[in-house]
Every structure is written in structure tokens, then in C-alpha cells.
Amino acid sequence: ETLGQCCEEMRRPVNGVVGSSDVLLEHDPTPAQREMVDVIRRNTQTLLGLINNAVDFSPAALKKSRS
């Protein structure tokens, strides 16, 4: 359960970064800026995937799936 709570706490700022990158793309970035935002988005999506996997394999999630 603690791992799940920790992951929830990590998701919030990561989702904030994703939202901020969306806003940046709305303001006609230069090609170089767009490339940097794309890197940010790819990395935050990867991080969210890792966080989600950690939640999926947390003891509480495993216990629920076995019930």
C-alpha cells in the first residue's frame, strides 16, 4: 500500500510536466524547441509507464488480483 501511495505522489508532478509540455506546443515553438518538448514528453511517458508498472506489481495490487 505504501508503494501505491508513493507512486500516486510521483504521478502528480509527472502529469504536470506532461501538461506543461502540451502548453508549450500550443505556442508555436521553433523546430529546436519542439524537439526538446518531444524529448520531455517521451521521457515523462516512459516515467509514467514505470510508475504504473510499480503500482501493478505492488503487494496491494498483487493481493487484489489474487482475490
Side-chain angles (χ1 to χ4, degrees), residues 23-66:
V23 170
L24 288 172
L25 290 175
E26 292 173 1
H27 294 285
D28 299 320
T30 65
Q33 291 169 330
R34 179 174 292 278
E35 185 177 336
M36 285 186 263
V37 172
D38 288 341
V39 168
I40 291 168
R41 294 196 63 162
R42 280 194 309 271
N43 287 321
T44 53
Q45 292 301 325
T46 299
L47 184 54
L48 280 174
L50 292 170
I51 292 168
N52 290 335
N53 288 342
V55 169
D56 290 343
F57 291 106
S58 71
L62 291 173
K63 190 175 185 178
K64 283 182 184 177
S65 69
R66 291 180 185 157

Side-chain angles (χ1 to χ4, degrees), residues 5-24:
Q5 291 171 342
C6 183
C7 289
E8 284 299 323
E9 292 297 320
M10 289 189 289
R11 279 186 185 139
R12 288 186 189 104
V14 173
N15 283 326
V17 172
V18 171
S20 296
S21 65
D22 288 342
V23 170
L24 288 172

